[in-house]
Amino acid sequence: MCGIFAAVSNEFVTSTLVGGLSSLSYRGYDSSGIVIVNENGLQRRRAEGKLQALSTLLAQNPVEGYIGIAHTRWATHGEPSERNAHPHMTDRVAVVHNGIIENYPDLKASLERDGYHFESDTDSETIPLLISRNLDKGMSPETALREAVSQLDGSYAIAAVFADEPQTIYAARYGSPLVIGQGAAGHFISSDSIALSRVARNLCYLDDNEIARITVNEIGITNAGGCTVSKELKPLIISQQDQGKQGYKHFMLKEIHQQPEVMRNTLNHYCDAATFTLKSEAFPANLSHFERLSIVACGTSYYAGMVARQWFERYACIPVDVDIASEYRYRESPFSPNTLALFISQSGETADSLAALRYSKEQGLTCLSLLNVESSSMAQESDAFLRTLAGAEIGVASTKAFTGQLLVLLLMSLQMGKASGRLDERAERELIQHLYTLPVEMAKVIDEMASIDKVAESLVHSEHTMYLGRGMSFPLALEGALKLKEISYIHAEAYPAGELKHGPIALIDNKMPVVMIAPPGPMMGKTLSNLREVSSRGAQVILISNGSGIEMARQHITQAIEVPETDALLQPLLYTLPLQLLAYHVACLKGTDVDQPRNLAKSVTVE
Ligand code: G6P
């Protein structure tokens, strides 16, 4: 949460800083601000609300210079307001911060005792005040920063500029990401590499406890002890596909349409297309040694784990637990030593998932992560990690990362089955061959979803909806309901269809639309019985099924979304698509901010 961007350049930097914040807005968007260092000292502009508010302010009250820091915020300590927006500053130093300072009450008390006054309600303001106190003791800017960060408990990525050293930006990190870019005009600092793509050609990542001193010509990095760290700058490679909306109205729609490509890239990474076999070397070597699998994640990634549980049970014959990270780490459940802990996270930075990973490591478990961001904290701290090949996901509501996770988890379950001898060569080849039809099938489903507009119209005025499904369609129902909640703000609940009569059926009346997910298969008959139960109580039923499922239920449904006939293996991946598109179209009809829904952020680095 929160995005940091900074620039020291031969050219004016204000528009570069705002451009950087625009790319980082997915990390938080309740306020933003910049500090420019120029002949008038540290010049600050801040505004509450989305980045446009800052742009408007800058048009009314411009500021320019060759060096500056910038921030886009997701509020943790202190309400979203201009007063709490970053940068926080004194007359000697300005700081932008991403992370949480856990010991800030103690630090604040100590600073206030020494006469340092807080203007905001944030934990972050502790940092410029600590630095200022050190400067007032006569320390140099670098020493003042080094001493200040040594007092912080929690996580931080920081960029700081000093009135006394107007040509330098300092950066420091512990637990929150920070990347330094080198471009033709100067140097840049960012919370992610994509935001650097407009200005930088090369990059390097700052590691925990390192401090960078950056001028227009030089990057100097030191470790906690002050010793120089030499880092290789690597070329910044961002695929064309990852840049901008590529003609789509929203990032979310672009990312929905990218899913066939994500499937293709994932298959090619983990499978051999010539032989339709798994590339065993693409997976960790010892997967078959484990007797239990413990999957831990948050949000959409958690639902991916719930879907995958059934694949691991079926193909790898391994018992599986699936936990929400924020619950798992406090549960103190007994671990068997032969448990593989698997963490699923798009960002690799989610605070609860990261904390759960650290907790599992302390318990002596082998920790594997499935991540979309290779440079993330979870990648660094896991024993091994697998990649989803979703590319940059900017829409706050996860789409392509989810289906990317599903496919890797399915392939991993097959690999575990293969490694333990439960999946023979013939079965492996048949399954992988089916999976290779996925990109084309997905593209077909996305293209043929024109009818979804009409279905969306019927939901747009609802206050509540219920999503029902059985088996793997239950976690899909949870994910579909989450998508609708996140971006359209319509209350949506999801239940296993068989659980309906144990309570939720009391909610059913003609004001409760029900989205029923019923792919063909052994569960279909039972799901259609549940469908009749809700329709006979007045519910407007939207059925997502194949042609014959829709035909069978015709008298009991108001609307239908048809998914083409497909192999059972592909069903969860294909049935996700109408759920994503339905939520998207409802949100568009409601006119909400699809890519930046209220109160949310993409990378949740607070517990
Ligand atoms: C946030 C996002 C969700 C995401 C969840 C877990 O809540 O808004 O879309 O599923 O975090 O994120 P992760 O990066 O760990 O998958």
Side-chain angles (χ1 to χ4, degrees):
M1 327 321 285
C2 300
I4 288 178
F5 201 85
V8 49
S9 173
N10 292 317
E11 297 165 358
F12 279 161
V13 296
T14 299
S15 66
T16 303
L17 294 178
V18 174
L21 290 188
S22 163
S23 297
L24 294 170
S25 287
Y26 71 91
R27 300 177 70 87
Y29 35 82
D30 63 41
S31 58
S32 52
I34 65 170
V35 159
I36 296 286
V37 194
N38 62 20
E39 59 287 0
N40 299 317
L42 304 174
Q43 297 293 305
R44 179 166 68 177
R45 303 285 184 274
R46 296 182 295 174
E48 182 185 338
K50 297 211 166 141
L51 186 59
Q52 185 54 45
L54 180 66
S55 299
T56 307
L57 175 70
L58 285 166
Q60 291 159 354
N61 188 7
V63 61
E64 264 310 354
Y66 297 97
I67 177 167
I69 58 176
H71 188 269
T72 181
R73 177 170 188 249
W74 187 88
T76 54
H77 295 75
E79 58 177 21
S81 65
E82 185 188 332
R83 193 170 63 86
N84 287 328
H86 297 221
H88 294 290
M89 62 186 285
T90 64
D91 55 354
R92 305 194 68 180
V93 61
V95 172
V96 287
H97 166 231
N98 170 29
I100 296 279
I101 307 305
E102 284 164 7
N103 58 337
Y104 98 100
D106 294 344
L107 294 173
K108 184 173 179 176
S110 141
L111 284 160
E112 285 180 333
R113 272 197 304 276
D114 288 351
Y116 292 86
H117 171 68
F118 279 73
E119 288 174 354
S120 76
D121 305 320
T122 65
D123 56 334
S124 305
E125 198 181 356
T126 315
I127 305 167
L129 293 183
L130 279 175
I131 295 172
S132 285
R133 182 165 70 179
N134 293 340
L135 291 171
D136 292 345
K137 287 178 189 163
M139 292 180 202
S140 69
E142 181 162 349
T143 311
L145 173 68
R146 193 178 296 285
E147 287 295 312
V149 296
S150 73
Q151 288 179 268
L152 305 178
D153 286 343
S155 62
Y156 55 82
I158 296 167
V161 282
F162 291 83
D164 292 344
E165 201 178 324
Q167 263 104 52
T168 310
I169 304 176
Y170 286 92
R173 80 154 264 181
Y174 181 80
S176 298
L178 217 47
V179 49
I180 301 169
Q182 180 194 53
H187 290 126
F188 307 87
I189 301 168
S190 172
S191 296
D192 79 19
S193 55
I194 294 181
L196 291 173
S197 61
R198 272 185 278 197
V199 287
R201 293 183 193 145
N202 301 305
L203 58 74
C204 67
Y205 287 89
L206 209 57
D207 286 317
D208 277 350
N209 296 313
E210 289 178 346
I211 290 184
R213 184 178 181 279
I214 301 165
T215 63
V216 74
N217 297 317
E218 263 181 316
I219 303 171
I221 299 176
T222 47
N223 63 18
C227 301
T228 301
V229 177
S230 67
K231 258 183 207 219
E232 201 191 331
L233 284 164
K234 299 203 173 119
L236 169 60
I237 302 163
I238 303 283
S239 91
Q240 193 64 26
Q241 307 282 9
D242 281 347
Q243 293 182 33
K245 292 185 194 152
Q246 309 272 309
Y248 289 97
K249 193 169 164 207
H250 296 104
F251 279 107
M252 182 178 175
L253 189 61
K254 170 190 151 186
E255 288 158 6
I256 289 173
H257 280 264
Q258 283 181 317
Q259 290 175 105
E261 191 58 30
V262 173
M263 297 300 109
R264 201 168 288 122
N265 293 341
T266 307
L267 286 166
N268 290 338
H269 183 79
Y270 289 102
C271 307
D272 184 332
T275 56
F276 292 127
T277 52
L278 294 151
K279 288 182 194 162
S280 296
E281 68 280 8
F283 298 89
N286 56 356
L287 283 180
S288 63
H289 301 170
F290 296 97
E291 287 164 6
R292 191 167 197 94
L293 180 63
S294 173
I295 299 179
V296 183
C298 299
T300 291
S301 299
Y302 168 67
Y303 297 146
M306 284 180 73
V307 174
R309 179 205 325 243
Q310 305 198 23
W311 287 323
F312 284 107
E313 288 170 349
R314 184 182 310 161
Y315 297 116
C317 261
I318 188 169
V320 184
D321 302 307
V322 189
D323 273 279
I324 291 175
S326 55
E327 294 292 322
Y328 164 88
R329 48 187 288 222
Y330 300 112
R331 224 181 57 207
E332 295 182 13
S333 74
F335 292 109
S336 77
N338 262 344
T339 300
L340 173 64
L342 172 62
F343 300 87
I344 308 172
S345 175
Q346 186 283 128
S347 62
E349 300 293 345
T350 302
D352 283 312
S353 301
L354 182 58
L357 163 60
R358 289 176 179 155
Y359 171 71
S360 302
K361 278 182 89 174
E362 279 164 22
Q363 307 303 314
L365 298 187
T366 303
C367 296
L368 174 67
S369 292
L370 173 57
L371 308 168
N372 198 38
V373 181
E374 277 179 78
S375 56
S376 62
S377 305
M378 288 174 71
Q380 284 164 35
E381 297 197 27
S382 303
D383 295 308
F385 71 90
L386 291 170
R387 288 167 60 200
T388 40
L389 289 100
E393 191 180 63
I394 303 297
V396 165
S398 183
T399 52
K400 61 175 180 169
F402 177 67
T403 46
Q405 288 165 345
L406 288 185
L407 183 54
V408 181
L409 291 164
L410 171 53
L411 294 170
M412 181 180 155
S413 72
L414 298 179
Q415 173 62 27
M416 283 174 87
K418 177 180 173 176
S420 63
R422 289 189 176 91
L423 188 74
D424 65 30
E425 266 178 46
R426 218 185 86 226
E428 176 190 0
R429 243 192 301 277
E430 267 175 24
L431 291 167
I432 303 295
Q433 197 163 4
H434 281 312
L435 286 173
Y436 264 92
T437 63
L438 191 55
V440 172
E441 296 276 316
M442 265 197 167
K444 212 158 66 185
V445 173
I446 295 169
D447 289 345
E448 288 173 7
M449 280 291 144
S451 68
I452 222 145
D453 279 357
K454 289 238 159 341
V455 182
E457 274 169 30
S458 73
L459 281 185
V460 75
H461 299 297
S462 307
E463 284 181 21
H464 311 278
T465 50
M466 191 173 288
Y467 284 63
L468 298 172
R470 281 172 179 262
M472 287 191 181
S473 298
F474 166 52
L476 293 190
L478 287 164
E479 172 60 8
L482 179 66
K483 288 288 88 90
L484 191 73
K485 278 185 270 212
E486 281 180 308
I487 60 171
S488 78
Y489 316 143
I490 294 174
H491 172 224
E493 294 225 32
Y495 274 96
E499 187 66 8
L500 187 70
K501 49 197 154 305
H502 300 294
I505 200 162
L507 296 170
I508 300 292
D509 63 12
N510 61 6
K511 292 196 200 65
M512 176 67 85
V514 173
V515 179
M516 187 69 90
I517 307 160
M523 302 285 209
M524 191 186 208
K526 289 192 194 308
T527 312
L528 295 185
S529 307
N530 299 133
L531 186 155
R532 284 188 284 276
E533 287 160 16
V534 289
S535 98
S536 62
R537 285 163 177 85
Q540 309 289 305
V541 181
I542 298 162
L543 175 62
I544 306 179
S545 188
N546 68 340
S548 62
I550 293 170
E551 216 31 67
M552 275 190 267
R554 181 66 70 195
Q555 296 170 325
H556 305 281
I557 59 179
T558 335
Q559 303 196 67
I561 301 172
E562 184 174 339
V563 178
E565 210 64 56
T566 182
D567 189 88
L569 191 69
L570 310 188
Q571 280 173 357
L573 287 140
L574 293 185
Y575 277 70
T576 300
L577 305 173
L579 297 168
Q580 296 171 342
L581 285 162
L582 183 59
Y584 174 76
H585 285 289
V586 174
C588 287
L589 288 171
K590 287 198 77 174
T592 57
D593 191 336
V594 170
D595 286 332
Q596 297 184 352
R598 69 184 180 205
N599 303 338
L600 297 178
K602 185 139 193 82
S603 174
V604 180
T605 52
V606 294
E607 293 172 22

